[in-house]
Amino acid sequence: MTKTRITAPRPGRLALAAGAALALFVALPMSSAHAASGSFLYESTTGESLRIDDPILGKCYGLYKAKGASNQTNATATIFFDANCEREWGSLQPGGYSSNFLATLYSVRFGS
């Protein structure tokens, strides 16, 4: 008959496993991406009324040839001439609007 020997884990191994678990926990993001509340409403040069609801802060959103907008979010909306959020036109504060950008704008990013 074969005897199976069960041994208790060594304290050093327990500490190592606990430390690894703690490091993994700390490395994980604590919450999902932050989002602004509300809607960004804009009108395209083709006359379409479009919107972005509850946008993620810091993300670059493409606009379809925007000519005017109303920022009904709780975050500043920075609007850009290009589609990559690089050439800044200006910004709209929460509750702000512009009925005519005097240019066609192609992207927006929310947050300060």
Side-chain angles (χ1 to χ4, degrees):
M1 178 188 250
T2 306
K3 291 185 179 181
T4 304
R5 183 176 171 198
I6 300 173
T7 59
R10 295 181 184 160
R13 287 186 182 173
L14 282 175
L16 180 62
L22 179 62
L24 180 60
F25 177 75
V26 170
L28 294 174
M30 295 306 287
S31 65
S32 61
H34 297 284
S37 296
S39 298
F40 180 81
L41 311 166
Y42 69 98
E43 185 178 352
S44 74
T45 57
T46 60
E48 294 176 83
S49 294
L50 303 161
R51 69 191 293 150
I52 300 170
D53 293 318
D54 300 326
I56 296 172
L57 298 177
K59 179 180 176 182
C60 183
Y61 288 88
L63 301 176
Y64 181 69
K65 301 179 180 180
K67 70 173 187 176
S70 176
N71 182 13
Q72 299 305 309
T73 71
N74 62 351
T76 299
T78 304
I79 307 167
F80 299 86
F81 287 109
D82 66 312
N84 301 317
C85 293
E86 294 175 355
R87 293 180 40 234
E88 185 176 327
W89 169 83
S91 62
L92 293 176
Q93 297 301 314
Y97 70 94
S98 174
S99 60
N100 189 351
F101 292 138
L102 301 177
T104 302
L105 303 179
Y106 291 92
S107 61
V108 61
R109 181 181 298 133
F110 297 87
S112 51

